[in-house]
Amino acid sequence: MSNYNFGESDEEKSSFTEKDPESFAIDRKINLMFAMVGIPFQNKGCSYLREAIKLTYKKPTVLNSVMKELYPAVARIFNTAATLVERGIRYEIGVACRSGKMLNLNKMFNFAIADKHYKPSNSEFIALFCEKLNMDSLLQGNHNAEFMKIYD
């Protein structure tokens, strides 16, 4: 179960729980995107990255303070250090770049984002995946209220 706190009350702490169907759907979409870009599932960094994407999807403004908010929140969930979370995510992105599948980002977004030498930063990668989740939600008629506030 995800236990993170960005200053919310106890009722608002976890919108993604193990019993939440939305959480399963988002996990499934993230896993499909990971497979497309060549991120292996067996490393801890994959779990850190998935959780960071889910947290950012819930609260997009956390990308403004990745080192102070996002990594520590993920670290609390996995009972580890924020520096290990950052390193694990960076490692997974590096693996994806070396796999040669990062060009699939272009297919996911239907325009050129990556070339064969492209290596996004951790926050850029997380933002891309959140953007894709939000685009898919909008196409399905569901929208993330926090995401829409950014564009208002």
Side-chain angles (χ1 to χ4, degrees), residues 70-124:
L70 183 60
Y71 295 154
V74 174
R76 281 190 298 274
I77 292 167
F78 290 98
N79 216 14
T80 189
T83 55
L84 296 178
V85 169
E86 187 271 335
R87 188 179 351 164
I89 291 172
R90 186 169 16 100
Y91 176 78
E92 292 301 320
I93 294 169
V95 168
C97 290
R98 288 187 298 277
S99 75
K101 294 184 178 180
M102 286 297 281
L103 292 174
N104 288 336
L105 282 174
N106 299 339
K107 292 178 186 173
M108 283 173 38
F109 286 93
N110 292 325
F111 61 88
I113 293 176
D115 64 13
K116 62 183 177 180
H117 303 292
Y118 177 68
K119 185 176 181 197
S121 67
N122 289 5
S123 56
E124 183 181 4

Side-chain angles (χ1 to χ4, degrees), residues 9-35:
S9 67
D10 286 339
E11 303 93 43
E12 298 171 333
K13 269 185 196 173
S14 180
S15 67
F16 296 118
T17 63
E18 293 173 1
K19 296 178 183 177
D20 184 6
E22 183 184 7
S23 179
F24 287 127
I26 288 173
D27 277 341
R28 186 173 175 277
K29 288 177 186 178
I30 291 171
N31 287 341
L32 288 172
M33 290 187 286
F34 281 0

Side-chain angles (χ1 to χ4, degrees), residues 57 60 130-131 134-135 138 144-151:
Y57 180 76
C130 287
E131 184 73 21
N134 283 310
M135 286 173 20
L138 287 172
N144 180 350
E146 288 296 320
F147 171 76
M148 295 308 290
K149 287 179 189 175
I150 293 174
Y151 293 101

